Amino acid sequence: MHMAARHPGEQLPQNFCSPGFRMNSLFLLLLVLLFSKDFSGVDGKKWKGEGTTPNLDSIIIGRCYEYIRIVNPAVGEKNCSELLEAFKKAFMNKDPCNILPSDYELFINLSQHSIPPNKSLFWENNQFLVSSYAARTRRYMPLGDTLIGAFGDLLNWCGQANNTEVDDSCPTTEECENNAVESFWRIASINYAKQSSGIIHVMLNGSATGGAYPLKGFFADFEIPNLQKERISQIEIWVMDDIGGPDLDSCGKGSVQTLETQLKEMGYDITCIDNYKSVLFLLCLDHPDHPSCPVVSF
Amino acid sequence: MVLLVGVLVLLVSLVVVIVLAAILTPGRDTSSTLLQWKGRGTTKNLREVVLGRCYNYITMVNPELGNKDCLKIWETLQDAFMYKNPCNITTDDYQPLMDLARHPVPCNKSLFWSKTNELVHRYTKIDHNFLTLEDTLLGYIADQVSWCGDPAGPGINYESCPKWTECESNPSTVYWKMASKMFAEEACGVVQVMLNGSIDAGAFRSSSIFGSVEIFNLDPNKVSTIQIWLMHNIGGPKRDSCTGYSITRLKSILEERNFIVSCEDNYRPVWLFQCVSEPGHEDCRLCFCGIQ
């Protein structure tokens, strides 16, 4: 869900065998100075990630009310100001590398709501496809289409330990795992899994390098372990290949097979569909004339 | 002593009168002083929703508009309708808001529509090559919310608002007409329009906002071509088509204004999009010839 940018590691030359040791160590010192300038961040900023989204408070309050008044009024009455306060309390005026999922507990308790049975949609490596397909709860209700999701979707935020410092950057997950955004999505995912029931759907990307089912990812680490087995009737997996993309993984193969086996061993009733037709039509929108897409004659 | 008793009696009777008055007088019901209409009332928390959407729009959807003042936009919107009789709204009421929120639209992206509300908006949520009015700032903040004022305090009516059938100069109709006019004025290059070939009485109607406002506010100096997408509902009747009467009429109106016009029955990407919801339908059960 929150994809952190990858930063190439930097390596210092190791060359202590000497006659020219002194020269080399001076050279080394120079290099260290040069590289340490880079390590302190781009343009003198503290962190490598983008800063807090401007107008965050207004955007969140607006999204909160929009959700409870228009998108999903079944959620009932919520005090959006109270929710925003609880959300901010998790990370404001704190070390931005020391925010734990549990810091959001009060916020989660205030904002959580049940997901209608059969409407849960989990996913990996296809955020925008899932969002488009779910159509803001019209077809399904993925995490991004819940009230909790509305608070974080496509937004970025962090606090500062020293309140007087205003820096337009936030730590990436590479720089530290316990950052405000990462911890938010972890506890949000845990809660989402707990609130899901009926037929559970999972959309995976059969063209993703590294496999359709990442063994280290939100679905594997935070969602599967928190599914409520007694409330789940079936798990349906859809493996979608990119149009014109490679068919690297599919039902019964590779990482998808690993997932199917894992879930079966946990006692779930599993079905798996390659290129589920309904979603395929959606993918074909951008490639209407591709050979993988349906031929029409009127 | 008698005086004391007398005062006591007076006090008691006063209390009784007050109590009776409180019980018998009907409670002052604010809603009964508001005008009553047949449409849904002002959306609750309208301010927060409009502000939030405005900020979301200028921050994330269209960051080129970063200099727009969302608070001012909200206040100008409020001024347009609060404390006014909602059957008496004029273009003057909304003009300041229109001027504040107006922004250019990239060429070749404007997508107009008529009687295809749900389809066209679901479509543009997926395909960002095209923009409807609701993808511009004015449309974005107002989409699916409603508002209207009332001469009585608090000046805003959350219970009900007038429908178009009750009076035409209502806050919603006037707003959307003005916003549509502006959207047409901003259009340039090739523009598209999605029409519904499954409805009665023709896909193109002169009485629609498209037929009465938008086509006449397209600027022939900016807009070169109009592409019509004539969509049928999946499994719906094919009542009209590109060669039908209403489209022929539309073509002649547009050609008279020096536009080039083309028409396509069931424009492919939109048709594919319709099939997302009905993948098993006969109209969608077609050859996926290239799939292994």
Side-chain angles (χ1 to χ4, degrees), chain B residues 149-162:
Chain B
D150 192 281
I156 188 165
N157 191 339
Y158 289 101
E159 320 274 318
S160 63
C161 289

Side-chain angles (χ1 to χ4, degrees), chain A residues 53-55 58-59 61-63 65-66 68-70 77 132-133 138-139 153-155 247 275 277-282 284-289 291-298, chain B residues 43-45 48-49 51-53 55-56 58-60 122-123 125-127 143-145 238 265-266 268-273 275-277 279-280 284-291:
Chain A
T53 306
N55 304 308
S58 302
I59 290 175
I61 291 271
R63 283 180 176 195
Y65 279 117
E66 172 147 12
I68 66 175
R69 300 281 175 240
I70 303 170
E77 196 58 39
S132 302
Y133 186 65
R138 189 164 55 89
R139 289 194 191 98
D153 202 31
L154 302 176
L155 301 174
D247 179 18
N275 290 308
K277 198 133 163 237
S278 180
V279 182
L280 182 59
F281 275 112
L282 191 59
C284 282
L285 269 185
D286 290 330
H287 313 268
D289 298 317
S292 305
C293 290
V295 181
V296 61
S297 51
F298 282 108
Chain B
T43 306
K44 274 180 164 179
N45 300 104
E48 285 81 7
V49 172
L51 269 177
R53 281 177 173 186
Y55 284 119
N56 197 69
I58 69 172
T59 309
M60 326 242 316
R122 288 176 188 174
Y123 181 68
K125 295 253 179 320
I126 315 296
D127 187 344
D143 193 26
Q144 290 186 72
V145 298
K238 292 175 166 53
D265 283 309
N266 290 304
R268 190 79 173 283
V270 179
W271 168 79
L272 282 167
F273 178 69
C275 285
V276 176
S277 301
C284 298
R285 212 187 310 131
L286 294 147
C287 172
F288 279 84
C289 300
I291 294 213

Side-chain angles (χ1 to χ4, degrees), chain A residues 161-181:
Chain A
N162 181 351
N163 202 27
T164 57
E165 240 178 78
V166 180
D167 190 300
D168 191 21
S169 69
C170 291
T172 61
T173 302
E174 251 76 42
E175 293 177 281
C176 61
E177 221 174 285
N178 292 330
N179 65 69
V181 174

Side-chain angles (χ1 to χ4, degrees), chain B residues 82-234:
Chain B
M82 272 188 81
Y83 287 105
K84 295 183 184 168
N85 185 312
C87 275
N88 255 343
I89 303 298
T90 67
T91 54
D92 286 341
D93 289 321
Y94 280 123
Q95 198 54 51
L97 173 62
M98 297 289 142
D99 293 336
L100 267 180
R102 176 179 215 124
H103 64 83
V105 175
C107 287
N108 309 321
K109 291 199 169 197
S110 299
L111 174 52
F112 297 87
W113 55 274
S114 193
K115 310 302 177 210
T116 52
N117 189 350
E118 243 179 50
L119 178 59
V120 76
H121 294 113
R122 288 176 188 174
Y123 181 68
T124 58
K125 295 253 179 320
I126 315 296
D127 187 344
H128 297 125
N129 287 319
F130 302 104
L131 299 166
T132 61
L133 170 56
E134 289 70 17
D135 299 312
T136 66
L137 180 55
L138 273 172
Y140 191 84
I141 60 178
D143 193 26
Q144 290 186 72
V145 298
S146 60
W147 62 78
C148 65
D150 192 281
I156 188 165
N157 191 339
Y158 289 101
E159 320 274 318
S160 63
C161 289
K163 277 185 154 175
W164 183 81
T165 43
E166 295 176 273
C167 59
E168 265 185 61
S169 299
N170 65 72
S172 176
T173 303
V174 177
Y175 182 91
W176 287 111
K177 271 196 172 160
M178 288 182 81
S180 300
K181 176 169 182 275
M182 232 173 62
F183 184 60
E185 286 167 354
E186 294 292 341
C188 62
V190 178
V191 309
Q192 285 73 215
V193 57
M194 193 189 296
L195 299 175
N196 188 338
S198 288
I199 53 169
D200 287 327
F204 169 68
R205 296 184 201 186
S206 298
S207 55
S208 63
I209 288 191
F210 175 66
S212 61
V213 175
E214 289 169 336
I215 55 176
F216 297 108
N217 284 287
L218 292 170
D219 184 347
N221 295 319
K222 288 162 68 179
V223 174
S224 59
T225 312
I226 291 144
Q227 283 179 348
I228 304 166
W229 301 338
L230 204 307
M231 305 306 301
H232 297 119
N233 298 333
I234 298 291

Side-chain angles (χ1 to χ4, degrees), chain A residues 227-246:
Chain A
L227 290 173
Q228 308 290 290
K229 190 144 156 281
E230 341 67 70
R231 298 172 62 211
I232 292 172
S233 57
Q234 198 189 100
I235 301 183
E236 192 173 294
I237 305 165
W238 303 328
V239 186
M240 305 303 302
D241 297 328
D242 294 337
I243 301 293

Side-chain angles (χ1 to χ4, degrees), chain A residues 97-168:
Chain A
C97 277
N98 196 13
I99 312 295
L100 299 171
S102 51
D103 290 336
Y104 287 101
E105 234 166 69
L106 172 63
F107 165 73
I108 296 287
N109 286 337
L110 289 173
S111 55
Q112 68 183 336
H113 57 85
S114 62
I115 317 296
N118 313 325
K119 289 280 199 174
S120 292
L121 178 51
F122 297 84
W123 55 272
E124 282 286 357
N125 294 315
N126 45 26
Q127 178 177 9
F128 294 114
L129 177 61
V130 163
S131 168
S132 302
Y133 186 65
R136 250 180 152 197
T137 78
R138 189 164 55 89
R139 289 194 191 98
Y140 291 95
M141 195 185 286
L143 174 52
D145 288 342
T146 62
L147 178 56
I148 291 172
F151 269 71
D153 202 31
L154 302 176
L155 301 174
N156 203 58
W157 64 91
C158 64
Q160 275 90 225
N162 181 351
N163 202 27
T164 57
E165 240 178 78
V166 180
D167 190 300
D168 191 21

